[in-house]
Amino acid sequence: MKNMKKNKEIQIRMEEKKRILQGQEYEVTELYIGKKKIGEILAYGVKDFQAFMDDEAIGSNKTFELAVEAIIRQWNLHE
């Protein structure tokens, strides 16, 4: 039988911030694991949530939850 890696529970903390981009104020949610910021979600509109990692856009999502999943998926690939 092969050794299987166990899935670890990961606590993700979210912080809400306001950020002004090109003269307009947006709501930004920062995602943290421990003290390390792993990504940000910028709410452009009702169904437009941009996901960012290290200031690089990783895609647009129709819901906040999908944007969170996209960041976690990318983070898992790089860890």
Side-chain angles (χ1 to χ4, degrees):
M1 192 171 228
K2 288 184 178 181
N3 285 344
M4 304 255 323
K5 221 177 179 183
K6 281 190 175 184
N7 288 339
K8 287 194 296 188
E9 280 275 322
I10 297 172
Q11 285 284 44
I12 295 179
R13 181 170 49 88
M14 296 182 194
E15 287 185 15
E16 299 282 325
K17 304 251 166 120
K18 298 270 187 212
R19 189 165 297 156
I20 295 177
L21 298 168
Q22 299 168 345
Q24 196 166 351
E25 188 176 76
Y26 293 97
E27 218 170 88
V28 176
T29 303
E30 297 178 340
L31 277 61
Y32 292 87
I33 293 179
K35 292 182 179 182
K36 180 179 175 38
K37 182 163 75 169
I38 63 165
E40 296 178 322
I41 299 169
L42 183 62
Y44 276 114
V46 180
K47 289 190 177 190
D48 187 8
F49 297 88
Q50 290 288 328
F52 294 88
M53 289 184 78
D54 299 322
D55 293 328
E56 187 179 317
I58 60 168
S60 178
N61 300 273
K62 289 184 192 261
T63 67
F64 179 80
E65 289 76 16
L66 288 172
V68 170
E69 284 180 30
I71 291 172
I72 293 169
R73 213 174 302 115
Q74 280 294 116
W75 181 79
N76 277 331
L77 288 175
H78 296 291
E79 284 301 305

